[in-house]
Amino acid sequence: MTSTVDSEPQALVLPKWLQTCLLEEQAGSDTAEQSLICRAFNFAFHLHEGQYRASGDPYIAHPVAVAELLNDLGGSASMICAGFLHDIVEDTTVTPDQLEDTFGAEVRQLVEGVTKISKFNFSTKTEREAENFRKMFLAMARDVRVIVIKLADRLHNMRTLEHLSKEKQRRIAMETRDVFAPLANRLGIWRFKWELEDLSFKYLEPEVYRSIQSLVSEKRTTREALITEAVNRLTARLDPLGLKHLEVTGRPKHLYSIYKKMVRQQKEFHEIYDISAIRVIVGSNDECYRVLAIVHDLFRPIPGRFKDYIGLPKPNRYQSLHTTVIGLGGKPLEVQIRTLEMHHVAEYGIAAHWKYKEQGNASAHPWSPEDEKFTWLRQLLEWQSDLNDVSDDAQEYLDSVKDDLYGTEVYVFSPKGDLVPLAKGATPVDFAYRIHTEVGNHCYGAKVNGRMVTLNTGLKNGDIVEIMTQKSAHPSLDWLNFVTSTLARNRIRQWYKRSRREENIQRGRDLLEKELGKTGFDALLKSDTMHQVAEQCNYASPDDLLAGLGYGETTLNLVVNRLRELNRQPQSSDPLTQKTEESSQFSLFQQASSSGRGSAPSAGQDTPIAGVEGLVYNLAKCCHPLPGEPIIGVVTLSSRGISIHRQGCSNVESVPGDRLIPVSWNPQSETQGHRQTYPVNIQIEVLDRVGILNDILSRLKDLHINVNNAQVLTKRGQPALITLGLDIEHLNQLDRTFTQIRKMTDVLNLRRLHHSETTSS
């Protein structure tokens, strides 16, 4: 394919490095890597020809800008090619196979990875957002370069965001601030991180952004004069040291970092003094500490404002000495001291591996699963499986991911001197589970700096933590009230769930036996039918199914319906058939009653119950039937008229057939303005923690469910029992309510109560 450098649109200005590459290709003096890059540009140029962005610029300007950002990061030829081609699969008719035939498997893998991530929409429903996170981290695990390309793509889109609608601006800016800027920080790419944050700030808080921008601009002259004077004084003190490499520069802080400081410290702009900083770059670690001594001799240090990130690097491998001193004019001044290599890592993060490589191998894969700088990513992937084991709560997963994306703030040591990063506020229990699940499960005490402490003690930077274990020890439910990490919280729940397996199996067995009857029940559990039901419900065995039923992971209705579907087959001889035939007596009763009374239920009348028109009736308090449930009428022996029961109610089993009448819910009553609620009592068994009742009530509020009564029974060290009285309109509404409550990780069991149970409790 011939070069198109001479046929580019007038509006498109190619960067110099690309112009050089294309000219060398034309002259036949290009390298294999340059040839690949030129072919990718020409390929993208022709395929995007005639396409335009919202700004009116030719679309190819965007891939060129993305490729330029990747080139600045020192990306390999394959990465730069993927930058040119990242929208090809999505916006043209080119297939991944064609891409591979033309540019190779590596480029295809990168383009496909970016294409999949580009389809993610993080501002949608919680469940979809959680699934998108899972997919994105899996893509990163396969090749972290995929997310670097996506960050370059997002940065250029943010730079041109003014051409989109206000609604799209806010959605994309929020997604950038909450997801992509923290990812850039986690990868250590500071030059991407700060610009993504400032651009997001510009569109999410436009008035505040303009205000701070204006205030910074107004004070610039005075501030720059003070910074210049401080730089000159420090340089004069450092020059005589004969350092091999020395750079002393002043830099303004970014607008979003100023805004965050104002919010965090609850101060006005004029109360924030350290909005500029001095950066000193030297040649070695030893020189960093020598410079620090000079800084503290020249300026008075502020106590508690020194951080040594050289000895204790951040998880993203950032290293530097930070100190805040009283500068000229009595204003606080931040000074950062680092080596040239540390500066490259701070600016380029993981990409420093490509841009400043010792061996010159630009195409080397930048990540292996054992690389320490990706510990946080491996943990996220591990926690995905942990969360799937104990919860389907998408919100909990999102909270755990976002907490980890925003970084750790406490660094402690094991007795052997291993550095362990933890979240701010972490306790010895968080530390124990971070070391190993079994260490956490058998923890009974802890020492911090050689002294015994309680397990809820908050850890501080530099603490040496020792965990004491014994085989008989096990997690306590009280731990859930103070652990801060999702890892610890989920593994405590996981242990509790598994340790109660036998109890859960027995509870599930009791529920199923009560529904199906005792006759032949043991044979049913051992039958092939029961194994098939377990598989259909995604369980490995009937015992697992019973445990899930007892734990509340699956519903009794689902299990019974699966059984009945399988028993409709003619060859089935399971005991359930007998029970099904017994339960079908209600339909026989309906036929007999209908022929004897000559009044079939009518759905056209303006009453909630069809079949009792003109008669006195009441809803039975023993079973509290709901619209949507099969019901039966019972002629009472008193003067209360017809009592409406749920089909299958134990109080109806002994009623003679001549007292039963066929009834049903009238579907038209709701459409005619007769919407009403019906009382339902439920019991929830939960892990006892602070705020659990409030969390449940919040979910009910979101579902527009009124709670007319609430009782909580607690016993130290045991699950709590919460009994709620609800006002429900229809069975479907109750099912939705049960589904939402069961999604809560702390919920162990959930069931609907009968009248006898509510009165006895």
Side-chain angles (χ1 to χ4, degrees), residues 121-122 124-133 398 402:
N121 184 355
F122 293 95
T124 56
K125 290 175 58 179
T126 300
E127 290 82 1
R128 189 177 304 169
E129 185 179 358
E131 184 60 26
N132 287 341
F133 264 121
L398 290 176
K402 290 178 180 178

Side-chain angles (χ1 to χ4, degrees), residues 581-594:
E581 291 173 353
E582 291 172 5
S583 63
S584 67
Q585 289 178 1
F586 287 119
S587 61
L588 297 176
F589 288 148
Q590 290 178 354
Q591 294 175 12
S593 300
S594 178

Side-chain angles (χ1 to χ4, degrees), residues 528-542 545 562:
D528 291 339
T529 300
M530 198 66 186
H531 281 276
Q532 293 178 47
V533 171
E535 290 177 3
Q536 290 180 9
C537 295
N538 297 317
Y539 290 96
S541 68
L545 174 62
R562 292 284 189 272

Side-chain angles (χ1 to χ4, degrees), residues 289 308-315 318-319 411-413 419 461-462:
Y289 291 98
D308 185 352
Y309 292 120
I310 294 179
L312 297 174
K314 290 186 177 183
Y318 174 87
Q319 289 183 288
Y411 300 85
V412 299
F413 294 92
L419 181 66
N461 280 323

Side-chain angles (χ1 to χ4, degrees), residues 331-379:
K331 307 299 184 184
L333 174 67
E334 183 181 18
V335 181
Q336 299 176 356
I337 309 166
R338 62 181 66 151
T339 67
L340 188 61
E341 181 182 357
M342 292 173 191
H343 181 63
H344 292 158
V345 172
E347 291 293 300
Y348 297 93
I350 179 59
H353 173 90
W354 309 312
K355 191 169 181 65
Y356 300 96
K357 46 199 175 295
E358 295 180 1
Q359 304 300 323
N361 182 11
S363 62
H365 196 293
W367 175 69
S368 65
E370 303 306 318
D371 196 323
E372 288 184 6
K373 60 180 159 292
F374 288 99
T375 300
W376 63 275
L377 178 56
R378 292 200 309 275
Q379 288 173 350

Side-chain angles (χ1 to χ4, degrees), residues 678-681 706-710 724-727:
Y678 302 85
V680 173
N681 293 299
N706 180 57
V707 179
N708 58 55
N709 182 43
L724 300 177
L726 310 179
D727 294 330

Side-chain angles (χ1 to χ4, degrees), residues 514 621-622 681 683 709 711 713 721 723 751-761:
K514 185 175 181 180
K621 294 181 179 180
C622 57
N681 293 299
Q683 187 179 79
N709 182 43
Q711 296 180 355
L713 179 63
L721 289 178
T723 303
R751 64 194 186 99
R752 183 175 171 184
L753 295 179
H754 299 296
H755 180 67
S756 58
E757 294 176 294
T758 57
T759 55
S760 63
S761 62

